[in-house]
Amino acid sequence: DTGVSQDPRHKITKRGQNVTFRCDPISEHNRLYWYRQTLGQGPEFLTYFQNEAQLEKSRLLSDRFSAERPKGSFSTLEIQRTEQGDSAMYLCASSFSQVNTGELFFGEGSRLTVL
Amino acid sequence: GDSVTQMEGPVTLSEEAFLTINCTYTATGYPSLFWYVQYPGEGLQLLLKATKADDKGSNKGFEATYRKETTSFHLEKGSVQVSDSAVYFCALHTNAGKSTFGDGTTLTVKP
């Protein structure tokens, strides 16, 4: 299967620890997005990349969050000094900008639980 | 900023009933509009889309028409099935490159 894959699928951590999530997009897709979703809410935009360039980052995003896409392929999302409010599903999506219809292809998400 | 408002759920229907889920949006410019669906235990996937005013998107018996004058993109299906039970998200995508989602509407279809 060549869909978007995310790892780990579930992470449980203690408050104050750092966590890192990885996303592997569909191979020919040059755009990669990170979203956060909490129960009963829709996906909330965090950041996105075109190739290796981070083009936009949500103003609501704490400085504890950082994302990278060093070679324009996979991406990592790191959360430092986790807080209970960070508990959520972290979604990765990819797309092909040349098609530019805006359709996103989502992974199954990485669920974070902060104790 | 951009925003999407969906009718609040949950929605419970009997099989073969008619479905409407309302969606309105606020955006600068001319966004593309989408409905995504999330089945239990699965990731979000595209259901249908419309990229310009008056376009109708359709898939699996679902339809939605891009109405610029009312800034709406309501989802409809004439006869729902138990297998349509899922969470439905309305979304818009602008030339700025990102998508904005509504809060989702949970649909339960009972036999």
Side-chain angles (χ1 to χ4, degrees), chain A residues 37-57:
Chain A
Q37 186 178 20
T38 54
L39 194 63
Q41 304 290 315
E44 174 193 11
F45 172 79
L46 295 180
T47 188
Y48 90 98
F49 295 83
Q50 181 157 312
N51 301 312
E52 64 275 9
Q54 188 173 20
L55 296 189
E56 188 172 344
K57 184 176 177 180

Side-chain angles (χ1 to χ4, degrees), chain A residues 5-47:
Chain A
S5 62
Q6 294 188 241
D7 183 72
R9 294 291 310 281
H10 196 174
K11 177 74 175 178
I12 300 173
T13 191
K14 293 183 178 179
R15 188 176 53 184
Q17 299 295 303
N18 299 343
V19 296
T20 299
F21 299 112
R22 176 181 169 123
C23 172
D24 287 89
I26 293 172
S27 58
E28 61 267 28
H29 285 180
N30 60 344
R31 283 189 175 173
L32 186 150
Y33 298 78
W34 286 100
Y35 282 81
R36 176 172 58 192
Q37 186 178 20
T38 54
L39 194 63
Q41 304 290 315
E44 174 193 11
F45 172 79
L46 295 180
T47 188

Side-chain angles (χ1 to χ4, degrees), chain A residues 2 19-20 23 25 28-29 32 35 40-42 47 57 62-63 66 74 76 87 91 93 100 104 109-110 114:
Chain A
T2 57
V19 296
T20 299
C23 172
E28 61 267 28
H29 285 180
L32 186 150
Y35 282 81
Q41 304 290 315
T47 188
K57 184 176 177 180
S62 162
D63 289 343
S66 62
F74 74 92
T76 58
S87 295
L91 303 175
N100 203 30
L104 300 182
S110 294
V114 181

Side-chain angles (χ1 to χ4, degrees), chain A residues 33 35 42 48 56 101 103-104, chain B residues 34 36 46 89 96-99 102:
Chain A
Y33 298 78
Y35 282 81
Y48 90 98
E56 188 172 344
T101 62
E103 177 182 353
L104 300 182
Chain B
F34 301 83
Y36 288 86
L46 179 70
F89 293 91
K98 71 180 186 185
S99 291

